[in-house]
Amino acid sequence: MTAAGTLGSVPDTPPTGLRAKLRGLVRELGKFGTVGAISFTIDTVIFNLMLGAGAETLVAKLISTVVATTVAFLGNRFWTWRHRAHTHMARQYTMFFVLNAIGLGIGLGCLAISHYGLGAIWPAFQSRLADNLSAQIVGTAAGTLFRFWSYRRFVFPDTAGPADDGHDLRDDTRAATVTPPSSPLSDSA
């Protein structure tokens, strides 16, 4: 190992390039996953309470998703991507819900195929277990992949854009995500 005083050794320099991007991405995925787990739990509980109360399957899923989406927006806006620019809250809020509606459509499509399509052939696919597997596991997984990509790209974009080659996405380096050359007056967020 090299000593701190050895020529060429810079122990306190943050990683750059691909390594920094991967660290930032892993951090974002972890936060997104935590927010998603909380929202997933809320979604599952409300979905099952509504099914137990006699609500129609797709209506129950729609309502549970709308409530969980509100929680997800707040968590992602103020925690997951808080280091990114937030200058147009109304645009972000609207875009988040539009993209989440597409994710909801993916989840509802999985549920509809299972419950109504396969359920017409095999009645076991119309059970509560099958509905939960198709909506909460398959539909949520497919919708989540779409949501992470779309939220990161369109709702909470990196102000440096896709050509950013070495900016660390740590919470305390907000200014590092601004594309050089930057003016001290340009960061209004």
Side-chain angles (χ1 to χ4, degrees), residues 20-107:
K21 281 185 174 186
L22 287 175
R23 279 188 178 177
L25 183 62
V26 167
R27 184 175 288 112
E28 284 181 352
L29 279 169
K31 289 179 177 184
F32 181 79
T34 301
V35 169
I38 292 167
S39 298
F40 175 80
T41 301
I42 291 168
D43 185 14
T44 302
V45 168
I46 293 173
F47 179 66
N48 281 291
L49 286 173
M50 295 205 54
L51 287 178
E56 199 277 328
T57 304
L58 294 179
V59 171
K61 182 61 180 167
L62 179 67
I63 291 170
S64 68
T65 300
V66 168
V67 172
T69 297
T70 302
V71 172
F73 176 77
L74 295 172
N76 285 313
R77 169 63 171 83
F78 294 106
W79 188 48
T80 305
W81 287 295
R82 72 179 180 201
H83 62 280
R84 296 202 174 188
H86 298 293
T87 56
H88 303 288
M89 182 72 136
R91 179 198 160 281
Q92 283 181 318
Y93 191 77
T94 303
M95 183 68 74
F96 187 90
F97 279 90
V98 167
L99 294 171
N100 197 68
I102 295 169
L104 171 62
I106 292 168

Side-chain angles (χ1 to χ4, degrees), residues 1 11 44 56 80 82 85 93 101 110 128 145-146 156 163 169 181:
M1 304 296 157
T44 302
E56 199 277 328
T80 305
R82 72 179 180 201
Y93 191 77
C110 292
R128 184 179 250 180
L145 290 173
F146 170 77
F156 308 109
L169 297 177

Side-chain angles (χ1 to χ4, degrees), residues 142-157:
T144 297
L145 290 173
F146 170 77
R147 286 179 182 106
F148 180 76
W149 170 80
S150 64
Y151 295 166
R152 191 171 190 271
R153 175 147 174 108
F154 300 112
V155 181
F156 308 109

Side-chain angles (χ1 to χ4, degrees), residues 167-182:
H167 294 103
D168 191 3
L169 297 177
R170 293 179 295 180
D171 293 340
D172 60 344
T173 59
R174 181 178 182 166
T177 61
V178 177
T179 305
S182 64

